[in-house]
Every structure is written in C-alpha cells, then in structure tokens.
Amino acid sequence: MWYLCVFYHRLLDYRKAEVESLSHLFGASDVEEENDKAHSLEWRLPQHHHPDSPFHFVNLPSEDIARKIANRSILVKGMYEVWGEGDSYEELEESVKSFPEERKLPYLDSESSFKINVDSFGKALTFQEQNQRMQALNFIPFKGRVNLKNPDHKFWLMETDDSGSNNGLPPIVQRRIFFGREIGGADRKLIPTYQLKSRTYLGPTAMDAEMAFLMANQALATPGKLVYDPFVGTGSILVGAAHFGAMTMGADIDIRVVRDGRGPDCNVWSNFKQYGLSMPIALLRADNNLPPWRTGLKEMFDAIICDPPYGVRAGGRKSGGRKLLKGAVSPYVVPDDKRTDHIPSTAPYSLVECVHDLLDLASRMLVMGGRLVFFFPVLREDDCVVVNNYPEHECFKLISASEQILSSRYSRVLLTMVKISPYTKEIAEAARIKHMEFKENHLKWLEDGNLHSAVFSPADSKSSAGDEGKLSKDPKPKYRGKYV
C-alpha cells in the first residue's frame, strides 16, 4: 500500500537510507537479498516535486510497519494514508470524494474523536488562513467529536508552496495539496533530550545526538543485539544504540578516556547513567591495529558502529611509537610496579590503514547479516568528488552511502555494509590486495594523514596577489537541507 512519507528537511541523503533500514528491521524488505539495488522499497514523487522535496510516496506491506517506521525514525516527520491530493482545493475535494468509502468510514464514526492539523512547506500560514483551509474541508462527513489534546484519529492538510517565492527550498513547479490520516510520526523530543550541550562527559569528537540515532537505525540496533564501537571516545555513538535497547561494548586506544574520564562522576559511564540507559558490558583499552581478541573468537557482534579518526578533528593513533615502528629502539618491557598507571606510546595511524583494519575486524567479529556502519571522508573540488570510491571487502555488501556536505572542500559519507559471507584466509588475502590498490590509487592525504591541511587549505591556490593569504568562502548553498 502506498503511504505519503513526509521528511524533515535536513540530511537529505540520509532519509531514504534510514527508512530502508527500518523497513528491513520491521520485516518489510530484505535489503541483503537485493542484487544491485541500494534501496529495495518502491518510491515515487508527487506531481511537480523535486527529489529533494520532503514529500515522497513509499510502498509498504502494512499500516503497522508504516507506523513502526515513522515512530522510530529520526528524519520522518510522519507517515500518512492519503485520502486525496490536488493542485487546488477543487481537485482535492474531488480526490477525497473518490477515495473508497469503506476505508474512510471507520475514522468518521460518531464514537471516535478527531483533530485536523494544517501544515505548509515553503511558507507560513496565519491562524486565520489555517481556519479558512479547515472550513474548506466541510465536505468530509465527520461525525465524531473534536479533541485537540488526545484524539483517536489525526488528520493533516498539507500544502506546498511553488518555487516562485524564491525561499531557498527545493524547486516545486506548482503547489500541491494533500489530505490524509496520520499513521505515525517521529518523536522529535528525543533530540533535545540527548543534545550534546547537556551531556555530562564530552570530547572534541563527540557524535551529534541526531547522527548517533541515525547510525543506530542503520545498524538495526534492538534489544538483544550487541553493538561495538572500536573508537568509543566519550561513548556518544553507543548512547544512541543503547537508547534503542541494544547491549553495547566499546574500546579506545587512550586508557585515560575509557578508564578515568574527568573523575568518578564525569566519564563514559556517567553518560549512560544520565539517561537511565543500560551500562556497556565492557569498555576496553584496545588498539584497532592490534585487536585483543583471542585466536578463534569470531562472529561476536551484531553490529559495529563507529566514526574512525580520519584526521580532521582528531588524528588516528596506533601502538608502538615512531622509533619502535622504525626499528630504532627495542620493544620496552614495562616494570610490574609501573603497569597500573603506564600509558603506552603511540604513533600516527593513517586513514587507509585504519579502514583496512576496521573491515578486517568486522569481517571476523560480525555475525552473518550483521552491519558495519562508519563514516568515510571525501574531498571535493567545485562540487565534484575527488575521492569517489570506497574501500571494498568480499565479506561485505555496501547497501547505502549517505553524504553529508560540510563545506565546499570536504564532506563525509556514512557507509552501511552488511556481512554476506564468512571470513576465510582467502578473503583476508584478497582484502589485503584491495587495500594495497586502494592505498596506491588515492590521494596522498589518505596515507600520510594530510586530510586536515587539505580540508582547511584555500580552495583556490591560484588566486591573485591581492587575494593572497585569504581563504575562499564556501559557495552559498542552493537550499539549506543539503548542507546540514
């Protein structure tokens, strides 16, 4: 059945990917079995609408699944059973009257209560205009009583403005009006509740709460699943997974983060305590380059979610130290009396090596069908992607790549991969070869950790002498949703 899916106008590339993941979670589709499709659900746009419009029609098996998707989603404003649509209120009336009576009558019963909401996209409606539009719906034979606080049924009249107002929104050739019954909607109170500015323990790379929930949805976090973050930091990503009931586990190379924090009441554990969430089953001091798992241990995690340190806000580190890795000094044995407070030396950890180790870890430790969700950086020049292909592994299938443009020079892509085959030595060797090819065929910043300088260097290095030393400004976004 077709439902109108109305999105919040932000993080445009992430919207369909989130709905696809939640549809799989609730049994509406099997993304893993699709051959080459990034999305297995059927979508279509309303008339006159641009693909970046917040209005999309999606085909779902049942109303129950549509409700579950809408109620859990972060970016879906609401799911609606559309009773009618048109370019004018005359067309809308004809469309609503032609909607099957047997599907309307259960919600027009005299024993039920209802509420009509009026919403608009692209313009603001005054209270008087909203009342006028509701009066135009008097052709619908509502028999129940109005209840504005807790109605049995909610109906929405939604109107989109045309692009002539030049309001910075996606172009709409002609206005469109929708009327329908609300199936379900997102709880946006979730975001202010978990916002970072009220978080007990924060670090410079703490993941935004909205993005952490999106990553948890992409990873299908649910009660009974074990989710692991190998770059846990202050635990902001795991907080999102724990909110949806998943068991969590994290690791970080900096023991001061996972063990000490800023005191007994300001650490990773206190972030979970603040929201009444289940504590992580373990926080490890571990190096992604030298994983601590015993030989033979495999397929332990249902999902791995992380934001690898790729060198913009923080650079990656691995164990060993520069001199030790270069063979200039011998391995150091820590005396027994200093082991408790010893902080091992570390060396720079390039992005390409970090991602290879992450894929190897996931191929070993994820269960079949488990998901790997992580960010990958992308450099851009004149709106063209400079690095446009992503690391591959035979154990995984890439099911979505959602880009978030952060500036004219730099964006990051949320990659969601699903494990489709068991780990073998042959696959590990093939992955090593692909890793070497990926390393050789990409820009120097991937290996040498120069992403920070590449991102923050002037976009136009050939500027005139009068403009020398000035950073070029980011181009004005076409519309706000694409750049947030």
Side-chain angles (χ1 to χ4, degrees), residues 234-252:
T234 58
S236 53
I237 293 177
L238 292 186
V239 165
H243 170 80
F244 293 122
M247 298 180 291
T248 58
M249 183 175 177
D252 201 282

Side-chain angles (χ1 to χ4, degrees), residues 215-262:
M215 296 175 76
N217 280 340
Q218 292 288 83
L220 312 182
T222 49
K225 290 188 176 182
L226 179 57
V227 177
Y228 177 64
D229 183 354
F231 311 101
V232 68
T234 58
S236 53
I237 293 177
L238 292 186
V239 165
H243 170 80
F244 293 122
M247 298 180 291
T248 58
M249 183 175 177
D252 201 282
I253 194 171
D254 192 343
I255 194 172
R256 296 166 295 184
V257 173
V258 295
R259 184 186 65 184
D260 304 324
R262 295 192 180 95

Side-chain angles (χ1 to χ4, degrees), residues 329-340:
V329 297
S330 300
Y332 174 68
V333 178
V334 182
D336 291 340
D337 59 335
K338 295 183 179 180
R339 286 181 179 270
T340 302

Side-chain angles (χ1 to χ4, degrees), residues 346-414:
T346 60
Y349 191 25
S350 70
L351 170 66
V352 66
E353 188 177 10
C354 173
V355 172
H356 169 71
D357 292 341
L358 175 63
L359 288 169
D360 187 69
L361 166 71
S363 63
R364 291 173 180 266
M365 302 301 290
L366 277 178
V367 300
M368 288 296 296
R371 292 197 171 194
L372 170 62
V373 182
F374 67 102
F375 274 106
F376 188 80
V378 171
L379 279 181
R380 307 174 64 86
E381 284 184 1
D382 300 325
D383 288 333
C384 297
V385 176
V386 177
V387 179
N388 58 2
N389 60 327
Y390 311 118
E392 298 178 355
H393 197 289
E394 290 184 14
C395 278
F396 294 99
K397 176 184 177 182
L398 179 68
I399 59 174
S400 71
S402 305
E403 184 179 7
Q404 182 183 17
I405 301 173
L406 301 175
S407 73
S408 61
R409 298 296 311 279
Y410 163 63
S411 62
R412 61 180 182 175
V413 178
L414 184 65

Side-chain angles (χ1 to χ4, degrees), residues 236-303:
S236 53
I237 293 177
L238 292 186
V239 165
H243 170 80
F244 293 122
M247 298 180 291
T248 58
M249 183 175 177
D252 201 282
I253 194 171
D254 192 343
I255 194 172
R256 296 166 295 184
V257 173
V258 295
R259 184 186 65 184
D260 304 324
R262 295 192 180 95
D265 298 320
C266 187
N267 50 44
V268 179
W269 305 98
S270 61
N271 282 343
F272 289 81
K273 184 178 180 181
Q274 177 181 356
Y275 302 112
L277 303 174
S278 298
M279 296 293 179
I281 61 174
L283 292 176
L284 309 176
R285 189 278 172 187
D287 181 2
N288 189 54
N289 186 241
L290 298 170
W293 317 110
R294 63 174 171 81
T295 304
L297 184 64
K298 60 181 180 178
E299 297 191 354
M300 176 178 171
F301 304 118
D302 295 287

